[in-house]
Amino acid sequence: MTTLVNDPATDFASGWVDLLPSCRGKEVDQDTIGKVADAAGEIAKTTDTALKLAERFSLFFRGTLDTAGKMIENEVKFIAARRGLRLSDKWERLMDARGLSAPTRPIPPNFALPLLTAAVLEEDDELQDTWTRLLVNAGDAATEMELRSAYVEILRGMSAFDVKNLAVMAGASLSFRGKVDVPILETWNLPKLAIAHNEASGAGEPLSEPVRISINNLNRLGCIASASSTFGGRPVFAFATMTSLGIALYKACS
């Protein structure tokens, strides 16, 4: 049995289906509609959590709990709608810039739905733009990128600052023309620049706290590896290298 994307009985879920480029103007089976509804339910969980918080801290609200709860619920719905519209507009502009009126590669729901859920709820413009580029590249057969769900999971664990540092390091690594395939990168000048070398020289410079946290997170996510000595059994990241996964993620989001 198939269900048309514009079936009124699946209004909310079908709205999400319409965001999937691979489903536009096509019939979608019931299983896919169910998966879409599950993804849409994640936004509903956000609203439910907000309402529970309103109930827990009801003593701090002036007026009735019902009024406070409705205000929070409406705000969450407004944010999701506003960010969804921005995502859609950005996606269409990027597609137009490539001369595409529609995706040239279908995006499987197990990749697209988590991506869309995170992208719609993302409040940071830079991060949402990164999600949008990932979505566009996924639907463009010319990119030849592999549709790995790991990209979505890794990106969800990154801040805008992490994304910026990853881009600077990946750019320096890819543009390096030295004796080694995987250059050693200075990290202490991030996010301004990351100078690439054939090998590490000296102990390097100390990292600022924001850069240290970001670099450790990128290492945790498998995007970079330490190229420095260890201190107390822990890696020191004055010098680092990009991993194959980190390079692949950078390309997928560029």
Side-chain angles (χ1 to χ4, degrees), residues 1-251:
M1 178 181 178
T2 57
T3 304
L4 288 175
V5 168
N6 60 354
D7 183 349
T10 53
D11 237 0
F12 192 53
S14 66
W16 277 75
V17 170
D18 192 50
L19 283 176
L20 271 68
S22 57
C23 296
R24 287 178 180 264
K26 299 181 180 179
E27 289 191 342
V28 182
D29 60 38
Q30 196 62 43
D31 181 58
T32 299
I33 288 291
K35 291 177 180 178
V36 173
D38 289 341
E42 291 301 313
I43 293 179
K45 288 180 184 178
T46 304
T47 301
D48 183 59
T49 299
L51 293 176
K52 287 179 180 177
L53 284 173
E55 182 177 359
R56 179 174 297 179
F57 297 106
S58 60
L59 294 177
F60 295 95
F61 285 101
R62 291 182 178 178
T64 64
L65 172 62
D66 183 60
T67 301
K70 286 181 179 178
M71 288 174 63
I72 294 174
E73 181 179 3
N74 289 337
E75 178 67 14
V76 171
K77 289 180 178 178
F78 172 75
I79 290 172
R82 174 171 56 81
R83 301 303 291 176
L85 285 173
R86 184 185 183 280
L87 173 69
S88 179
D89 289 343
K90 182 71 175 181
W91 177 81
E92 290 182 357
R93 287 198 299 271
L94 290 177
M95 291 289 288
D96 289 342
R98 299 187 184 195
L100 299 175
S101 58
T104 54
R105 172 172 52 190
I107 306 176
N110 66 344
F111 181 89
L113 295 181
L115 192 163
L116 285 168
T117 301
V120 168
L121 295 177
E122 180 54 61
E123 275 288 278
D124 185 280
D125 285 350
E126 289 186 32
L127 269 179
Q128 191 179 60
D129 289 347
T130 303
W131 284 111
T132 309
R133 290 192 295 271
L134 179 59
L135 178 62
V136 171
N137 286 334
D140 185 356
T143 64
E144 298 182 354
M145 66 169 277
E146 188 175 0
L147 302 184
R148 286 184 169 273
S149 58
Y151 295 157
V152 177
E153 293 304 314
I154 293 172
L155 191 55
R156 288 180 66 165
M158 295 171 68
S159 68
F161 190 61
D162 295 336
V163 171
K164 185 177 295 185
N165 287 332
L166 179 70
V168 171
M169 295 176 72
S173 186
L174 290 170
S175 61
F176 182 68
R177 297 294 180 268
K179 298 178 181 179
V180 295
D181 294 331
V182 182
I184 307 297
L185 303 168
E186 296 178 2
T187 63
W188 56 86
N189 288 314
L190 289 170
K192 185 178 180 181
L193 78 162
I195 300 175
H197 301 278
N198 287 307
E199 59 185 19
S201 177
E205 300 292 331
L207 308 183
S208 67
E209 187 67 11
V211 170
R212 184 183 298 110
I213 293 172
S214 178
I215 290 296
N216 274 274
N217 191 44
L218 291 174
N219 175 68
R220 177 185 70 86
L221 294 170
C223 295
I224 67 167
S226 174
S228 305
S229 58
T230 61
F231 178 77
R234 293 178 297 177
V236 179
F237 290 99
F239 295 98
T241 59
M242 291 293 303
T243 64
S244 297
L245 178 60
I247 291 291
L249 176 65
Y250 166 72
K251 290 180 177 180

